[in-house]
């Protein structure tokens, strides 16, 4: 098993949880960073879940960009 820690904006936590559920993965909140983002550790099997992790990374970036766009308005 490998693990990856994601910085998840609080406003996107529900969307992120839905992504994990969609891919059948579990996340563990381990704390928060200086930007008040949740630190979520996701454990995965690199042979089975690598594509899912990449998809989650891309979608998290999209959620973060949407958050920044909302802040600019």
């Amino acid at each position: 098993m490998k693990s990856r820690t994601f910085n998840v904006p609080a406003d996107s936590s529900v969307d992120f949880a839905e992504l994990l559920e969609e891919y059948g993965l579990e996340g563990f909140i381990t704390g928060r960073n200086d930007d008040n983002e949740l630190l979520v550790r996701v454990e995965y099997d690199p042979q089975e879940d690598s594509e899912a992790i990449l998809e989650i990374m891309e979608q998290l970036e999209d959620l973060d960009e949407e958050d920044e766009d909302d802040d600019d308005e």
Side-chain angles (χ1 to χ4, degrees), residues 40-57:
V40 181
R41 188 182 80 237
V42 177
E43 294 180 353
Y44 64 98
D45 181 336
Q47 292 181 343
E48 294 180 16
D49 302 317
S50 290
E51 189 172 320
I53 293 295
L54 292 174
E55 288 287 326
I56 290 170
M57 290 169 58

Side-chain angles (χ1 to χ4, degrees), residues 2 9-10 15-16 27 29 33 35-36 40 43 45 58-59 69:
K2 289 185 85 171
D15 293 325
F16 187 78
I29 298 173
N33 62 18
D35 294 328
N36 285 325
V40 181
E43 294 180 353
D45 181 336
E58 287 178 14
Q59 292 187 31
D69 290 344

Side-chain angles (χ1 to χ4, degrees), residues 4 8 12 15 21 23 25 28 39 45 57 59 69:
R4 178 170 191 93
V8 181
S12 300
D15 293 325
E21 182 179 3
Y23 292 108
L25 298 169
F28 305 92
L39 300 176
D45 181 336
M57 290 169 58
Q59 292 187 31
D69 290 344

